[in-house]
Amino acid sequence: MKYGYYPGCSLERNAIAYHRSAMAVADALDIEFVEVDDWNCCGATEYISIDALPAYALVARNLALASQQKQNGNGNQLVAPCSACYLNLQKTNHYMADSPELAQQVNTALQAGGLNYDPGSVRVRHLLDILTQDVGYDAVAEKVTKPLYNLRIAPYYGCLIVRPGFDDTYHNPEYPTCLDELMRKLGATVVDYPVKTHCCGGHMTQISEPVALDLIRRLLKNAADYQADAIVTLCPMCQLNLDGYQEAVNKHFGTNYQIPILYFTQLMGLAFGIKPKKLGFGKEFVDARPALAKIEAEPPKKPKKRKRPPKEALPMPNLTEGM
Amino acid sequence: MSAQSSASRASPSSFIDEVIAATPGSDPHLDLCVQCGTCGGSCPSGPDMEHTPRQLFAMINAGMKEDVLRSNTPWYCVSCYYCMVRCPQDVHITDIMYSLKRMAIKEGMFQESTAADAPDFSETFIDFVEQYGRSFELGLATRYHLKHHPLGAVKMAGFGLGMLLRGRMDLTPTKIEGIAQLKTILARAKELGADSSKNGGGQ
Ligand code: SF4
Ligand code: SF4
């Protein structure tokens, strides 16, 4: 399988662990990613706040470069591992296709630089979708040599992979489950995580820290309530906010959360038996080692079935256990 | 409905038309809002906003331009799109928040809102993108935080050091090869945007 690949600025440095683990996992699954030559920043959520047309042109340059790249294969699909990049690429693709006026203006700008983009000619996909839809759960399960038994995972999707769903999204915008399923295939225990699609605060950590810290606290608290050993994420912004600002949350609220925030590809790599070093472990602010030490060689025992009370007994709750 | 909206795009006569015209791409359906309040109830930033999205849309409808553009609401939008997937009228709420930010900047009306630093954060971010074609976290953090949170910058320095020690932040920016091409494209886009906003379309 072959795809175009748009890493985005975060994966070059701050989310280097995501990039390394994605590459290692792709290698194991025989996927080839062809990086878009000389791509530029997608503008995050900032450019569109200042000036709309240049913001679309900025993203469209990447789409134009990707559409020229013949070796992408697979009907010219472009993979973005960062949810913000994914959203910006999809949004530009979608709105250009929807509004001929916008498409014409963006193309006039692109032509000044000798480029052109035919809206919709590139299909934008998120890395998680490639691994769950195209590769598939069974093919992933087959590669597992070191299952993550006994590791309790809170699956965190964040916003932009599930909302608003510009193109071909198959996720439920409020309660998606594909990451849950993927983690189960690795042998991990997936805890219920009702806030799985809540916001990490985005750029609010920079603009109004208290607002962001409260959003981050909720995500950490919910995972702690369900006794998760780690939160698994698929977006560099989510990872950075939950990991890098966890100490700030603890200071601000007098809490003591120590929950490592890991990329889903890092856990896939571990379960595939790839060395942690190759997967970017050690880059996280909250040390992942104590959580990883909980992984056991044997699957957790199924809880014993309760003995049925005798038929003639009164219908009372059975309170003898654990008392 | 779209016929009506595109007609209003041609000659923005009221504030609501201005906002619609400033939202490129698909029709934002702003004129379809039924004031149900689903958006405000879904919004993680709701408690910090001066006006909920629903209130803001009522104010837009009432032509309260200045109050809307001075509101902190768009600046506290974290772009989570919860409102947008839940809105029964398919109002493109998040896109409209971005439009309001751009209009507030253009009219110089954001300074008094409680999110007065937000535009400068965005501007500093895009300065680096325009200069190098890539974002540059260290440059952004130092320039923006020293200007706005000189005391907080000390705290940020600790965070930045943590990033550097873990090899998660570059000391120098990366420049793309086609930076001249990118600059030409962006300059042309800015011209086009300025032109079309004069006659009510585009940005
Ligand atoms: S959810 Fe939609 S229709 Fe309801 S108040 Fe908000 S914008 Fe208006
Ligand atoms: S997109 Fe913005 S306005 Fe809508 S719910 Fe999220 S933060 Fe609130």
Side-chain angles (χ1 to χ4, degrees), chain A:
Chain A
M1 278 188 258
K2 211 170 177 183
Y3 300 89
Y5 184 68
Y6 177 84
C9 301
S10 291
L11 271 85
E12 295 266 283
R13 192 49 69 199
N14 131 39
I16 187 82
Y18 195 11
H19 181 70
R20 284 197 192 139
S21 54
M23 289 303 143
V25 164
D27 222 32
L29 293 166
D30 270 328
I31 305 172
E32 196 185 331
F33 288 136
V34 186
E35 187 167 325
V36 174
D37 194 29
D38 206 38
W39 54 271
N40 55 259
C41 171
C42 77
T45 49
E46 309 314 320
Y47 216 137
I48 193 86
S49 305
I50 302 286
D51 209 348
L53 205 52
Y56 283 118
L58 182 79
V59 181
R61 178 177 177 270
N62 294 316
L63 290 168
L65 293 175
S67 73
Q68 284 175 357
Q69 206 162 274
K70 291 284 171 276
Q71 72 272 33
N72 289 355
N74 268 321
N76 220 343
Q77 302 194 49
L78 182 62
V79 179
C82 165
S83 299
C85 300
Y86 168 75
L87 176 96
N88 278 337
L89 291 163
Q90 273 214 337
K91 181 169 169 172
T92 303
N93 210 14
H94 180 83
Y95 282 164
M96 279 179 79
D98 215 38
S99 161
E101 188 192 342
L102 179 67
Q104 190 243 325
Q105 284 183 318
V106 169
N107 267 323
T108 311
L110 286 179
Q111 276 145 22
L115 292 174
N116 187 71
Y117 179 63
D118 180 14
S121 60
V122 169
R123 186 170 166 220
V124 181
R125 313 273 310 275
H126 194 286
L127 180 64
L128 177 68
D129 296 351
I130 302 297
L131 297 178
T132 53
Q133 287 182 298
D134 295 14
V135 174
Y137 303 112
D138 293 340
V140 169
E142 266 172 36
K143 291 278 176 216
V144 174
T145 56
K146 292 208 158 84
L148 310 178
Y149 293 139
N150 203 42
L151 188 66
R152 293 174 65 85
I153 296 292
Y156 179 47
Y157 299 75
C159 304
L160 302 178
I161 189 176
V162 293
R163 287 185 305 270
F166 280 117
D167 287 312
D168 74 357
T169 183
Y170 69 103
H171 299 284
N172 182 308
E174 312 246 359
Y175 210 79
T177 53
C178 64
L179 181 60
D180 303 44
E181 185 63 24
L182 186 67
M183 289 296 118
R184 269 185 220 113
K185 292 289 178 205
L186 307 180
T189 305
V190 177
V191 306
D192 191 17
Y193 195 43
V195 296
K196 55 166 74 165
T197 57
H198 285 206
C199 180
C200 74
H203 73 182
M204 274 298 163
T205 42
Q206 307 302 309
I207 290 163
S208 184
E209 210 181 86
V211 175
L213 293 185
D214 196 35
L215 297 177
I216 298 170
R217 180 192 64 85
R218 288 180 218 175
L219 293 165
L220 296 171
K221 177 177 189 307
N222 201 230
D225 285 350
Y226 286 88
Q227 289 149 17
D229 298 316
I231 296 175
V232 168
T233 168
L234 41 85
C235 170
M237 179 73 116
C238 300
Q239 201 284 338
L240 185 62
N241 278 356
L242 267 65
D243 182 27
Y245 288 87
Q246 203 165 130
E247 203 189 305
V249 167
N250 286 336
K251 279 212 182 105
H252 193 83
F253 295 101
T255 49
N256 186 27
Y257 297 119
Q258 296 293 330
I259 308 174
I261 317 297
L262 301 171
Y263 291 106
F264 74 102
T265 42
Q266 289 183 291
L267 290 185
M268 288 179 78
L270 269 191
F272 290 179
I274 301 169
K275 290 216 166 60
K277 248 209 132 150
K278 279 189 144 181
L279 301 167
F281 280 99
K283 299 273 176 198
E284 64 280 353
F285 280 78
V286 179
D287 194 349
R289 280 172 297 186
L292 299 183
K294 294 193 177 164
I295 297 173
E296 286 173 6
E298 295 299 319
K301 293 203 177 65
K302 290 231 165 74
K304 263 193 243 140
K305 278 220 175 102
R306 287 250 190 96
K307 257 209 311 210
R308 275 177 166 277
K311 271 209 182 93
E312 61 277 14
L314 285 170
M316 292 286 277
N318 184 352
L319 293 177
T320 47
E321 256 174 58
M323 283 192 78

